Amino acid sequence: MQIFIDTADVREIREAAALGVLDGVTTNPTLVAAVGRPMREVLSEICEIVPGPVSGEVLATTYEGMLAEALELAKIAPNIVVKIPLIRDGLRVVKVLTSEGIKTNVTLCFSPIQAMLAAKAGATYISPFVGRLDDVGHEGMDVVAQIVEIYNNYAFETQVLVASVRSPTHVLQALRMGADVATIPLKVIDQLIKHPLTDVGLARFIADAAKIPKAT
Ligand code: E4P
């Protein structure tokens, strides 16, 4: 499974890239607003830091507006993936972009049926938002399981990108379900690394190492 980081903060991206496990980046308008920089400038810098797929989202909601913005975003760098919301005109835009060879990430997906439509439109990635589903009393990861099943049943090539990840448990479930990608905030990436028994074990090794006699 590929690991993307879910942020527009280049400091966080550099930190995650330095770990050697980072495959790509996702952003959204909220994340870009949080860093207080123009969309094009920040995406361009991220694309220089990470050679893998970098998702940047359109802000328009009309067919013409989304298409025009998508074509502009695609010019930023070869590794840009254009994020399009899962709405009626969004699906039309995905179809056109796919025919032009532009990669797409269909965002704000909350059901397996929506995911099927995105795949038929030719989306490169589908982003089910598992944390936001959990927030309203659904099992977000059940939606991922159903999408994986449906995509396997019909050999859809769209990759399942688990988004709105809030915990290591989401990541573990995504791995077990065979999701293609999880996009993860830095805080959760850190939680994946840490284990209390690792810390206890390391402290003991350090203490015992001090007792090893020095060579004479
Ligand atoms: C990723 O592509 C999404 O924009 C993101 O994961 C949403 O996460 P949130 O629900 O924590 O805002």
Side-chain angles (χ1 to χ4, degrees):
M1 185 177 77
Q2 294 210 311
I3 293 179
F4 291 2
I5 186 167
D6 196 25
T7 184
D9 182 333
V10 293
R11 186 195 52 80
E12 290 189 351
I13 292 167
R14 286 184 201 282
E15 216 179 297
L19 292 172
V21 298
L22 189 68
D23 299 298
V25 180
T26 53
T27 69
N28 63 35
T30 307
L31 294 170
V32 175
V35 296
R37 297 176 61 192
M39 174 86 82
R40 197 180 175 88
E41 177 190 297
V42 76
L43 286 174
S44 179
E45 187 174 347
I46 295 170
C47 287
E48 281 173 20
I49 301 169
V50 178
V54 174
S55 289
E57 188 160 341
V58 296
L59 306 178
T61 52
T62 61
Y63 171 79
E64 292 78 11
M66 284 188 280
L67 186 56
E69 267 187 55
L71 295 173
E72 283 306 308
L73 286 172
K75 287 182 196 158
I76 293 175
N79 51 332
I80 278 283
V81 176
V82 181
K83 249 175 143 178
I84 306 283
L86 210 161
I87 54 178
R88 184 192 282 245
D89 281 344
L91 292 174
R92 292 175 61 206
V93 171
V94 169
K95 187 87 188 165
V96 175
L97 295 176
T98 302
S99 70
E100 300 280 324
I102 294 171
K103 292 198 166 75
T104 56
N105 173 354
V106 175
T107 189
L108 292 167
C109 171
F110 294 96
S111 83
I113 297 293
Q114 286 182 312
M116 175 273 292
L117 293 172
K120 287 192 72 80
T124 314
Y125 300 97
I126 183 69
S127 286
F129 277 32
V130 298
R132 294 193 196 184
L133 279 164
D134 291 353
D135 289 345
V136 294
H138 292 267
E139 288 281 356
M141 290 307 299
D142 283 356
V143 169
V144 174
Q146 289 177 41
I147 295 171
V148 170
E149 180 187 354
I150 291 165
Y151 281 12
N152 285 340
N153 285 348
Y154 295 97
F156 284 127
E157 289 177 6
T158 301
Q159 295 185 50
V160 181
L161 191 168
V162 180
S164 188
V165 165
R166 303 269 167 82
S167 68
T169 308
H170 280 151
V171 178
L172 176 61
Q173 289 175 305
L175 285 160
R176 298 192 68 191
M177 288 170 188
D180 300 285
V181 188
T183 188
I184 313 174
L186 184 60
K187 179 177 158 240
V188 179
I189 293 177
D190 278 332
Q191 289 174 330
L192 300 180
I193 299 167
K194 293 282 280 180
H195 196 289
L197 290 179
T198 304
D199 295 341
V200 169
L202 185 60
R204 189 179 302 163
F205 283 152
I206 290 169
D208 289 344
K211 300 174 199 159
I212 298 172
K214 301 276 180 291
T216 51

